[in-house]
Amino acid sequence: MRPRRASARRRPRSADVGAAAVEFALVSLLLFTLVFGIIQYGFYFWAAQVGASAARDAARYSAVGTQSCTALRSTVASQLGGAAVGSVTTTRHYYRADGTEVPSGTTGGSVTVSVRFSSMTLGWVPLPGGGQVVADAQARVETATSSSVTCS
């Protein structure tokens, strides 16, 4: 009797030839959805972080009365850079120490800045708020100047 060679390999059965391709096709749909979903949520959370940072900076600028409405909106839009898709809405409201809204800032009161914009979406998975990012920041007014006015 002849010994079998160790290097001899069995050929796959003809019925198993396409099984790997079918299994990959089924698994790849779930895999790609998961990968692109992670990428899309990464864009969304990045945009939310950039928006929160821009709102905090705008509230600090407003608290010391250094920027008019136009300059504030321009600063926020430049800080958002590629995080915002489409238009950016920036509003600023001043409040007295007792919480009553006033048209211009008073020292000792507070200022609230809201930044709203759409983040980039790939359309693979749903995002919170449809991808709309809303960031609010509040600060105590330290210096009220002629540029310390409400921006709606």
Side-chain angles (χ1 to χ4, degrees):
M1 182 165 170
R2 247 171 73 189
R4 280 183 108 163
R5 285 191 273 170
S7 63
R9 294 187 179 165
R10 289 180 35 185
R11 289 187 176 175
R13 288 188 240 161
S14 61
D16 293 340
V17 171
V22 171
E23 289 172 5
F24 177 75
L26 293 173
V27 172
S28 66
L29 181 63
L30 179 63
L31 177 70
F32 289 131
T33 300
L34 185 66
V35 167
F36 285 116
I38 290 169
I39 291 169
Q40 183 171 326
Y41 267 88
F43 281 139
Y44 176 76
F45 290 129
W46 170 67
Q49 181 64 33
V50 170
S53 177
R56 283 191 305 269
D57 286 348
R60 281 194 291 273
Y61 292 139
S62 299
V64 294
T66 59
Q67 292 191 326
S68 66
C69 291
T70 306
L72 184 72
R73 288 186 177 117
S74 174
T75 300
V76 167
S78 68
Q79 286 182 348
L80 293 176
V85 176
S87 64
V88 177
T89 304
T90 305
T91 58
R92 173 173 66 187
H93 297 282
Y94 286 96
Y95 300 91
R96 285 193 190 113
D98 64 0
T100 312
E101 187 173 352
V102 291
S104 61
T106 56
T107 303
S110 63
V111 61
T112 300
V113 176
S114 295
V115 177
R116 300 176 192 283
F117 61 93
S118 294
S119 68
M120 182 172 42
T121 63
L122 301 174
W124 281 78
V125 293
L127 290 175
Q132 188 78 2
V133 176
V134 179
D136 298 322
Q138 187 174 12
R140 182 179 184 274
V141 177
E142 300 296 328
T143 306
T145 63
S146 61
S147 62
S148 300
V149 293
T150 296
C151 304
S152 295

